[in-house]
């Protein structure tokens, strides 16, 4: 146990007390008795020794006992193990430890505040996303119950719209279930080898009609003479490509283009780029693009549809493959989303 600081404190304090008492005793003896320098020296030494002992005892057992308790509690709070550590009574060390603890706690509190805000925002977004189709379905069903069901034409139209609302609810719940599993690490990635070019063509075939409604052309950047084999879960990568292409169609311009390219990145990696000439994304929105329910459109409009989870799911699928996803965009010019995959030898 380190007690050198207490010795220094006791030494100085005892010296001050001894000087004061010696001066007081000298004055007293000068006035009433004869001063003996030998006796005065003995008195000084005795007074100093006694003062030092009493002060050191009091400091060690009153002040530093409490300091050690604070330090021990602080060490326990900070420690990730319950092994005993050496306890110091050094005030400088204790001050540093308390400052560090205070800084760490401040960071922890700030982190908790950010998480709480994120939780509130997430719950608000979920509520908003679910209540819109719910109220829509409820409105059509109530209208049918109130008598509109007797008119065959209105009945069929309202049932069709109610069915679309239910489909949207199922879509949102399914995506929520998917992202919850991805975030919890409950989704196993089944690695297989497949031709990424064939998968891209199949996604284009699937979304051809959707793109045709906005007269958007889906194309590969060039003719590839050889297949490009990658190692990943085919179904999950198809979901990634589908979500990215759907997004480019939603926010693309009339008669625009969505182009996909596949390039060698390094020896065992390829990079898949999905590029469009749509409306683009403003710089301040890019860092939050992959957040759940985050929308660039701040008007609250849901005219473009979707669950608001597409890009977040894309990011989690790519990260589950231990790969990376990137985004580059210029507002008014277009966007490029790209991700890496392991190349099969």
């Amino acid at each position: 146990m380190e007690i050198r600081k207490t010795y220094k404190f006791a030494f100085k304090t005892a010296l001050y007390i001894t000087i004061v008492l010696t001066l007081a005793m000298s004055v007293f003896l000068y006035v009433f008795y004869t001063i003996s320098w030998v006796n005065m020296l003995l008195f000084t030494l005795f007074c100093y020794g006694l003062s030092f002992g009493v002060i050191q005892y009091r400091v060690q057992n009153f002040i530093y006992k409490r300091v050690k308790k604070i330090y021990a509690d602080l060490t326990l709070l900070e420690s990730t193990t319950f092994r005993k550590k050496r306890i110091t009574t050094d005030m400088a060390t204790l001050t540093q430890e308390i400052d560090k603890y205070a800084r760490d706690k401040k960071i922890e509190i700030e982190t908790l505040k950010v998480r709480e805000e994120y939780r509130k925002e997430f719950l608000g977004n979920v509520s908003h996303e679910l209540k819109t189709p719910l109220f829509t379905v409820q409105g059509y069903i109530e209208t049918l119950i109130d008598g509109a069901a007797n008119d065959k034409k209105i009945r069929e139209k309202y049932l069709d719209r109610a069915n679309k609302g239910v489909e949207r609810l199922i879509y949102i719940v399914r995506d929520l279930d998917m992202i919850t599993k991805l975030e919890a690490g409950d989704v196993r990635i089944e690695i297989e080898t497949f031709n990424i070019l064939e998968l891209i063509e199949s996604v284009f075939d699937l979304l051809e009609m959707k793109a045709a409604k906005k007269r958007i052309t889906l194309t590969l950047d060039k003719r590839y003479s050889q297949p490009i084999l990658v190692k990943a879960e085919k179904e999950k990568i198809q979901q990634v490509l589908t979500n990215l292409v759907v997004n480019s169609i939603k926010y693309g311009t009339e008669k625009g283009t969505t182009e996909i390219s596949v390039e060698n990145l390094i020896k065992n990696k390829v990079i898949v780029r999905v590029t469009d000439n749509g409306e683009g994304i403003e710089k301040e929105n890019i860092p939050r693009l992959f957040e759940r329910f985050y929308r660039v459109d701040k008007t609250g409009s849901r005219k473009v549809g979707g669950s608001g989870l597409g890009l977040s799911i894309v990011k989690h699928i790519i990260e589950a493959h231990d790969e990376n996803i990137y985004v580059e965009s210029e507002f008014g010019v277009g966007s490029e989303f790209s991700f890496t995959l392991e190349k099969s030898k």
Side-chain angles (χ1 to χ4, degrees):
M1 192 183 299
E2 191 178 319
I3 56 174
R4 290 175 187 173
K5 296 284 182 183
T6 64
Y7 282 144
K8 189 176 179 181
F9 173 80
F11 174 81
K12 286 186 177 179
T13 309
L15 184 61
Y16 297 149
I17 292 170
T18 302
I19 291 169
V20 171
L21 286 177
T22 302
L23 288 173
M25 182 59 71
S26 298
V27 172
F28 180 80
L29 291 173
Y30 179 77
V31 174
F32 298 101
Y33 302 98
T34 304
I35 296 176
S36 169
W37 295 108
V38 176
N39 290 339
M40 284 301 298
L41 181 60
L42 290 172
F43 173 80
T44 301
L45 293 173
F46 174 77
C47 184
Y48 182 82
L50 187 64
S51 298
F52 182 88
V54 170
I55 292 165
Q56 175 62 24
Y57 174 80
R58 289 296 293 154
V59 167
Q60 190 66 36
N61 288 278
F62 181 74
I63 298 174
Y64 276 87
K65 187 180 283 186
R66 285 157 178 76
V67 168
K68 287 193 305 186
K69 177 68 168 61
I70 294 169
Y71 186 84
D73 291 343
L74 187 64
T75 304
L76 182 64
L77 284 170
E78 280 195 308
S79 181
T80 54
T81 174
F82 287 102
R83 281 188 224 164
K84 258 193 165 181
K85 288 186 177 181
R86 183 169 173 268
I87 296 172
T88 181
T89 56
D90 182 10
M91 289 298 286
T93 304
L94 181 65
T95 303
Q96 288 173 4
E97 291 291 336
I98 290 173
D99 285 345
K100 180 179 178 296
Y101 181 75
R103 283 196 305 272
D104 290 347
K105 283 297 165 189
K106 187 178 179 182
I107 292 168
E108 189 179 327
I109 290 165
E110 289 300 321
T111 304
L112 288 171
K113 283 181 180 177
V114 170
R115 285 179 181 174
E116 178 63 16
E117 286 174 12
Y118 182 73
R119 185 188 67 83
K120 286 178 181 176
E121 185 181 348
F122 173 68
L123 289 174
N125 284 328
V126 171
S127 172
H128 185 87
E129 293 290 344
L130 291 176
K131 75 181 180 184
T132 304
L134 272 173
F135 289 163
T136 301
V137 172
Q138 185 185 40
Y140 287 130
I141 291 173
E142 284 179 351
T143 304
L144 290 169
I145 291 170
D146 289 342
N150 298 324
D151 187 321
K152 185 180 177 183
K153 191 175 179 181
I154 292 175
R155 182 174 69 238
E156 287 179 356
K157 184 170 78 171
Y158 278 22
L159 283 173
D160 181 59
R161 289 180 179 177
N163 183 55
K164 285 179 180 177
V166 172
E167 283 178 358
R168 176 158 165 71
L169 279 170
I170 293 168
Y171 187 67
I172 293 168
V173 172
R174 187 194 66 199
D175 279 358
L176 272 171
D177 180 57
M178 164 69 79
I179 202 165
T180 302
K181 286 178 179 176
L182 284 165
E183 288 182 347
D186 291 341
V187 176
R188 282 188 64 190
I189 300 298
E190 302 289 343
I191 300 295
E192 56 190 301
T193 299
F194 61 92
N195 183 0
I196 187 70
L197 298 175
E198 283 184 2
L199 188 64
I200 292 168
E201 291 289 358
S202 116
V203 169
F204 281 170
D205 291 343
L206 187 69
L207 299 173
E208 187 178 13
M209 288 183 66
K210 194 177 187 73
K213 286 180 183 178
K214 288 185 75 173
R215 290 183 285 177
I216 288 175
T217 304
L218 305 178
T219 180
L220 279 166
D221 68 321
K222 63 181 181 182
R223 281 187 174 274
Y224 291 87
S225 56
Q226 297 290 330
I228 300 175
L229 302 178
V230 297
K231 293 167 72 175
E233 184 171 333
K234 188 175 181 179
E235 187 182 334
K236 294 286 189 299
I237 299 304
Q238 181 174 6
Q239 189 174 3
V240 166
L241 288 166
T242 302
N243 284 355
L244 291 178
V245 173
V246 165
N247 241 35
S248 75
I249 294 169
K250 279 181 192 174
Y251 299 102
T253 53
E254 279 291 317
K255 301 179 183 178
T257 303
T258 294
E259 182 182 87
I260 298 183
S261 63
V262 185
E263 303 167 13
N264 288 319
L265 187 63
I266 53 176
K267 187 177 180 181
N268 64 330
K269 296 279 183 182
V270 295
I271 187 163
V272 181
R273 304 182 191 274
V274 181
T275 310
D276 65 61
N277 57 357
E279 62 189 55
I281 306 156
E282 291 179 330
K283 275 187 178 179
E284 60 267 25
N285 292 317
I286 290 176
R288 298 191 63 189
L289 274 181
F290 296 104
E291 289 182 17
R292 292 173 291 183
F293 296 114
Y294 183 76
R295 290 181 188 266
V296 173
D297 179 15
K298 300 300 179 186
T299 63
S301 169
R302 293 297 185 266
K303 63 182 179 181
V304 293
S307 66
L309 295 166
L311 286 178
S312 189
I313 288 172
V314 164
K315 181 174 182 285
H316 280 89
I317 289 174
I318 296 300
E319 287 180 349
H321 282 79
D322 293 324
E323 299 294 346
N324 299 305
I325 185 161
Y326 310 95
V327 57
E328 292 180 19
S329 185
E330 188 176 340
F331 189 66
V333 177
S335 304
E336 179 184 280
F337 289 83
S338 56
F339 59 92
T340 58
L341 287 174
E342 187 177 347
K343 192 175 181 181
S344 180
K345 294 178 182 178

